[in-house]
Amino acid sequence: MINKKIKSKSNFFWIYAVIFAIFLGIFFFKSSLSNPKKIDQDTFFDILSKGEVQKIVVKHKETVLVYLKKNVFFQKNPNTYNNEKKLTSSLLKYEFEIGDLQFFQKKFEDYKKKYNLNTTIDFKNQQEYTITKFFFDYGIFFILLIIFWIFIFRRISATGGGPGSQIFNIGKSKAKLFDENDNVKITFKDVAGLEGAKEEVQEIVDFLKSPNRYTKLGGKIPKGALLIGLPGTGKTLLAKAVAGEAKVPFFSLSGSDFVEMFVGVGASRVRDLFEKAKDKSPCIIFIDEIDAIGRSRGKSSIAGSNDERENTLNQLLTEMDGFETNTNVIVLAATNRSDILDKALLRPGRFDRTIIVDLPELNERKEIFLVHLKRLILSNNVDIDFLAKQTPGFSGADIANICNESALIAARKNRSKIDNQDFIDAIDRIVCGLEKKNKIIKPNEKKRIAYHEAGHATISWLLEHSSPFVKVTIVPRGRTLGAAWYLPEERQLTTVEQMKDEICTLLAGRSAEEIIFKNISTGALNDLERVTKQAQSMVTIFGLNDRIGNVSYYDSTGEDEFNFSKPYSEKTAQIIDEEISKIIKEQSQRAKDILKNNEKKLSILANQLLEKEVLFREDLKQIFGERPFPDEMNEVFN
């Protein structure tokens, strides 16, 4: 029945369209009949001499309109005569421009006398069109046009609009609605790790499902929850799981969906979103990347440049604060830039809960690997514990990428199953880039690279607090010509000794170059960048310098983004520079001393590296013996 109605409406649309096209064709055909052909004066007088001209009309003393006699006109246009016998006002045929009117009139009169003509001449200097004439000529066309557009608009409003009707819905919310009719398959079982975040979000879902369980004790529904975490940690995935678990309407959109070039559109979309949410209550609104509209107000360097964004934020604040306690609408939002959000947005009553979504730890990474490995075909030697320990600092998105990349590498090698080595190659590929086997490196440069990387490996093996060594390679990848791989310990606190050992390990590459080649190269750029930041953080952030003392110039509120003055004096700045330089020089000399004491073993390691290109932990054991310090990760490699 509904399909028949839609079909009949579509038929009526085409009928109206055809009628409109017919009237439009008649209008333009009629107009074409009255369009005169341009000629010159000599041609006119030639036609006049033949007695074919009935009359001429001089307009504004410049233009002459030439009307032919009826029998002559229809002889020249037989098709028009056959089809348009009833048109008696279409004798206008030619027009031309004149210069001197008096000269033209004299010549015209001379031709009339010479050829005995009865052609008349009229003059028109007044306005050509009156309101009445204009209406009769064009009024019907415009009336039909208006009726046609009214019909189109009514169809747009009746059908809900299409691509052509977007301009009429510009103030409407772009939120996508998920309800019981949508098959949202992601649940909390698919979100590995994030146990604390899942617990808090699960409580919100339970509140919407059975609010009496909480309200009977006097509790109120939270207005909102803000998910804060680094990119790829699973904030959006957690929100998708909420949509799959809640079994209540779920509105999903991005903060940028409120942004538009037209003034007032953002605020209008916020109002429309919350009106829809109230109608679907109980429900959840999820705003991803809320920092697009939630940035702190009044901090733009250009006055008035963010008025529209601030108006949108003001409307959002009003809507969230204006909810009644019994509306059962909760706002979830996600951002990785919480430091720039407006304080009014973060206060209780709007976002009552702040849920931190951290990078996964060792056990959580193992759970994430298990989730993503379900769909892969694995060989028996894949060690998930090893992979979890091999990926410290990796987010859930990074781990998903490793699993996918390992499958691609295995397929590239024509394997039927994914091997443990494929995962290691995938980690190398993601961290350092694609292996460049055809990169041309001169022998002397390759030797320098080998000693540089051997220096890193040697120091990391001999220092107590350096990260456990995994492998060293001189195979170029991405922008790197070589790399030493470690397994960083996952610790919550770092001591001064640990930071100094890390700096010493980073400086070991350049120190090895200086010892062996008596000069240095540009190959330590990345090492020096990391060393400088490490030493700077020791002095200015963590208060780990005796001369500066227990002082930190770090601003966790993000206010320094808009403050261009230093929080310390010029004298203190000089002391900071001196202490940073002192730390780096001390650790550089320490690295040189250790390498000089082990120069023979350093050379053996570098030569083996030149021969094999990749050396592992077992190779270093053969050269240096067992590591002289307890290694928490020994069981990983045993």
Side-chain angles (χ1 to χ4, degrees), residues 448-461:
R448 184 181 290 270
I449 295 168
Y451 271 98
H452 183 105
E453 300 304 333
H456 287 307
T458 300
I459 295 295
S460 69
W461 190 265

Side-chain angles (χ1 to χ4, degrees), residues 271-286:
R271 286 192 296 270
D272 184 65
L273 171 63
F274 281 88
E275 286 175 6
K276 291 178 180 178
K278 289 177 184 178
D279 292 339
K280 295 284 186 178
S281 173
C283 70
I284 295 174
I285 296 173
F286 174 63

Side-chain angles (χ1 to χ4, degrees), residues 30-41:
K30 181 180 177 183
S31 299
S32 66
L33 291 178
S34 61
N35 288 334
K37 180 181 178 181
K38 290 187 177 293
I39 59 174
D40 55 22
Q41 284 196 43

Side-chain angles (χ1 to χ4, degrees), residues 166-167 169-178 250-262 265-266 268-274 276 285-286:
Q166 290 180 2
I167 189 66
N169 295 324
I170 195 168
K172 301 296 184 182
S173 168
K174 294 184 177 182
K176 186 175 181 180
L177 174 63
F178 298 91
F250 184 93
F251 292 90
S252 175
L253 75 165
S254 170
S256 59
D257 288 335
F258 295 109
V259 180
E260 193 64 64
M261 63 179 291
F262 303 108
V265 170
S268 175
R269 287 177 178 173
V270 172
R271 286 192 296 270
D272 184 65
L273 171 63
F274 281 88
K276 291 178 180 178
I285 296 173
F286 174 63

Side-chain angles (χ1 to χ4, degrees), residues 238-472:
L238 194 60
K240 290 180 180 178
V242 171
E245 293 276 355
K247 306 302 181 184
V248 296
F250 184 93
F251 292 90
S252 175
L253 75 165
S254 170
S256 59
D257 288 335
F258 295 109
V259 180
E260 193 64 64
M261 63 179 291
F262 303 108
V263 176
V265 170
S268 175
R269 287 177 178 173
V270 172
R271 286 192 296 270
D272 184 65
L273 171 63
F274 281 88
E275 286 175 6
K276 291 178 180 178
K278 289 177 184 178
D279 292 339
K280 295 284 186 178
S281 173
C283 70
I284 295 174
I285 296 173
F286 174 63
I287 305 175
D288 200 5
E289 305 296 347
I290 195 174
D291 50 88
I293 59 169
R295 184 187 291 265
S296 296
R297 292 166 291 181
K299 291 187 177 179
S300 174
S301 58
I302 304 175
S305 63
N306 284 332
D307 285 348
E308 175 59 17
R309 181 186 56 76
E310 291 185 4
N311 290 339
T312 305
L313 175 58
N314 290 337
Q315 187 63 44
L316 178 62
L317 296 175
T318 303
E319 293 290 345
M320 289 189 69
D321 201 33
F323 273 150
E324 299 176 3
T325 56
N326 59 353
T327 55
N328 288 355
V329 177
I330 294 178
V331 181
L332 282 180
T335 182
N336 49 41
R337 304 189 65 193
S338 60
D339 55 312
I340 66 170
L341 294 181
D342 196 277
K343 292 180 180 178
L345 191 64
L346 300 177
R347 74 160 177 83
R350 291 193 174 111
F351 285 109
D352 300 288
R353 296 186 178 183
T354 299
I355 302 173
I356 305 298
V357 185
D358 285 323
L359 289 171
E361 296 183 358
L362 181 62
N363 293 331
E364 292 175 329
R365 290 199 301 275
K366 182 178 178 181
E367 292 177 11
I368 295 172
F369 266 110
L370 290 172
V371 168
H372 292 294
L373 293 177
K374 287 179 181 177
R375 57 185 178 83
L376 302 180
I377 301 174
L378 306 176
S379 64
N380 295 329
N381 69 341
V382 174
D383 188 347
I384 299 177
D385 291 324
F386 173 77
L387 295 176
K389 292 173 182 178
Q390 186 72 30
T391 51
F394 280 52
S395 67
D398 293 329
I399 293 173
N401 195 20
I402 288 171
C403 295
N404 183 66
E405 192 68 32
S406 65
L408 298 179
I409 291 172
R412 202 176 298 135
K413 295 177 181 178
N414 294 321
R415 292 180 178 172
S416 58
K417 294 182 179 181
I418 304 172
D419 199 274
N420 199 67
Q421 185 60 41
D422 296 324
F423 285 96
I424 296 173
D425 293 341
I427 294 172
D428 294 351
R429 167 73 177 85
I430 290 170
V431 174
C432 289
L434 186 66
E435 182 178 330
K436 296 182 178 179
K437 297 180 180 179
N438 298 326
K439 193 175 185 69
I440 299 174
I441 302 177
K442 296 178 181 179
N444 61 330
E445 289 181 338
K446 194 169 185 179
K447 184 177 180 181
R448 184 181 290 270
I449 295 168
Y451 271 98
H452 183 105
E453 300 304 333
H456 287 307
T458 300
I459 295 295
S460 69
W461 190 265
L462 297 175
L463 289 183
E464 180 180 2
H465 301 293
S466 62
S467 300
F469 174 83
V470 177
K471 69 176 180 179
V472 61

Side-chain angles (χ1 to χ4, degrees), residues 29 33 73-74 77-85 87 90:
F29 178 72
L33 291 178
F73 181 82
F74 290 122
N77 302 274
N79 293 331
T80 304
Y81 178 74
N82 293 332
N83 297 319
E84 305 291 341
K85 289 183 179 180
L87 295 176
S90 299

